[in-house]
Amino acid sequence: MFSSPAYAQTVGSAPGASGFAAYSGFIPIVLMVVIFYFLLIRPQQARAKQHKAMIDGAKKGDVVVTGGGLVGRITKVEGDEVEVELAPNVRVRAIKSTLTEVRGTTKPAND
């Protein structure tokens, strides 16, 4: 008996007239992906590449910091493992990828 006013208020559009409008919702998403790539992904990849080069360049005599915060001197490098001397006659083996920093060779003050 009573008709809904919603049926009378619909506006028809010509087919094919809103081609750009159909894709305009994707433009902000594409822009966010591009911004995230340049602000987050690229710098992280550069840091990872730099860290890998630093770890691969670790050699005997370098002072290193492990992921657990231990500081020691490399005494032996074997493939993907290193032997780190933490104190006189205290040596541990560590995986190269767990090293967080290679400080280079430094001479102790007492020697």
Side-chain angles (χ1 to χ4, degrees):
M1 185 139 106
F2 296 107
S3 64
S4 173
Y7 291 120
Q9 293 177 359
T10 59
V11 177
S13 63
S18 61
F20 177 73
Y23 296 110
S24 65
F26 293 114
I27 292 173
I29 295 172
V30 170
L31 287 174
M32 285 192 309
V33 168
V34 169
I35 289 170
F36 274 120
Y37 177 75
F38 282 108
L39 293 180
L40 297 174
I41 298 170
R42 261 184 87 207
Q44 177 61 30
Q45 287 176 341
R47 279 192 300 269
K49 190 176 189 181
Q50 181 184 14
H51 183 260
K52 184 173 178 6
M54 177 181 64
I55 297 303
D56 289 341
K59 61 188 180 303
K60 182 178 177 180
D62 285 347
V63 176
V64 295
V65 179
T66 66
L70 301 174
V71 179
R73 184 177 309 276
I74 296 178
T75 58
K76 189 188 323 180
V77 178
E78 296 176 341
D80 64 341
E81 294 182 0
V82 293
E83 187 175 271
V84 181
E85 185 175 28
L86 302 174
N89 296 326
V90 178
R91 293 184 177 153
V92 296
R93 286 183 8 192
I95 305 292
K96 271 186 171 182
S97 62
T98 63
L99 300 177
T100 58
E101 184 180 350
V102 177
R103 294 186 176 174
T105 57
T106 58
K107 290 227 170 215
N110 296 348
D111 288 347

